[in-house]
Amino acid sequence: MGRLIPWGRRASVLLVLATLAACNRSAPPPVQTGFRNAEALIGATSRYDAARFGGDWQVRAAFPGDANLRAVTFAPQGPTLIETRGACDSAGVCTDRRDLWALNEQGPGRYTMRAAVGGAERAFWVLWVDEGFRTAVVGSPEGGYGWILDRQATGGEDRITAAQEILDFNGYDISALQVRR
């Protein structure tokens, strides 16, 4: 007749086996929403200053949904944001289209944007800005968009590289980012 293992030992053996099985289980893949891992931490920059952020910005990088976004203008009074997008008709004639968004401040560097036409809403968070307010990263927690903005259309490659690292740190899939040089 076989030997019986005492109940206390049996429970210990089962606990060890369950622990080993849990260690071998692979983690589920990260939840991706838009261009961002929804499980990654994200936060607005503590360096944000609406007055210094105000003015014209060139879009130096964006994700595919904003391929035709050229520039944004932030007006701290109001506050409002104007997006300038290139639009071409069927004849190949291209013009700029400007879309106005009213901003409702949710906290430092965090706004809810509401389209003046159609009333669409989305989050607008300033994730990072360099010390001189020359380069900035904006995006949204849900990951539907992310932009690298700069005061100039060219130059500042070190800041553009740093901005890409900020997007990556905040959970964005920068392999999809379209950088304009």
Side-chain angles (χ1 to χ4, degrees):
M1 201 180 247
R3 292 180 63 194
L4 293 176
I5 300 174
W7 176 247
R9 250 195 209 158
R10 206 178 309 164
S12 296
V13 169
L14 288 174
L15 181 62
V16 168
L17 290 174
T19 302
L20 289 173
C23 290
N24 284 332
R25 195 175 325 142
S26 61
V31 177
Q32 189 78 19
T33 58
F35 300 101
R36 191 178 166 278
N37 172 358
E39 295 175 359
L41 295 177
I42 188 170
T45 182
S46 61
R47 184 183 287 159
Y48 182 74
D49 177 299
R52 292 187 70 194
F53 192 78
D56 296 330
W57 295 90
Q58 303 299 311
V59 178
R60 297 288 299 275
F63 290 97
D66 286 317
N68 63 349
L69 181 63
R70 299 174 193 245
V72 297
T73 301
F74 177 81
Q77 310 79 8
T80 60
L81 183 83
I82 299 172
E83 295 179 346
T84 303
R85 296 176 180 275
C88 299
D89 63 19
S90 59
V93 177
C94 299
T95 58
D96 284 341
R97 183 186 90 217
R98 289 178 177 77
D99 296 320
L100 176 65
W101 295 81
L103 302 176
N104 182 21
E105 188 170 9
Q106 303 297 310
R110 294 180 302 133
Y111 297 89
T112 298
M113 298 172 50
R114 178 179 286 259
V117 176
E121 282 191 359
R122 65 180 174 177
F124 179 89
W125 285 24
V126 181
L127 306 178
W128 176 78
V129 64
D130 79 301
E131 193 172 301
F133 280 72
R134 299 165 295 173
T135 305
V137 175
V138 298
S140 63
E142 69 275 0
Y145 75 99
W147 307 328
I148 296 176
L149 306 176
D150 197 86
R151 299 292 186 178
Q152 303 296 318
T154 60
E157 295 305 317
D158 57 332
R159 294 187 316 272
I160 301 303
T161 298
Q164 291 176 55
E165 292 171 2
I166 295 297
L167 282 169
D168 184 46
F169 178 81
N170 280 279
Y172 280 86
D173 176 8
I174 61 170
S175 69
L177 188 66
Q178 299 172 342
V179 180
R180 302 167 192 162
R181 304 260 180 218

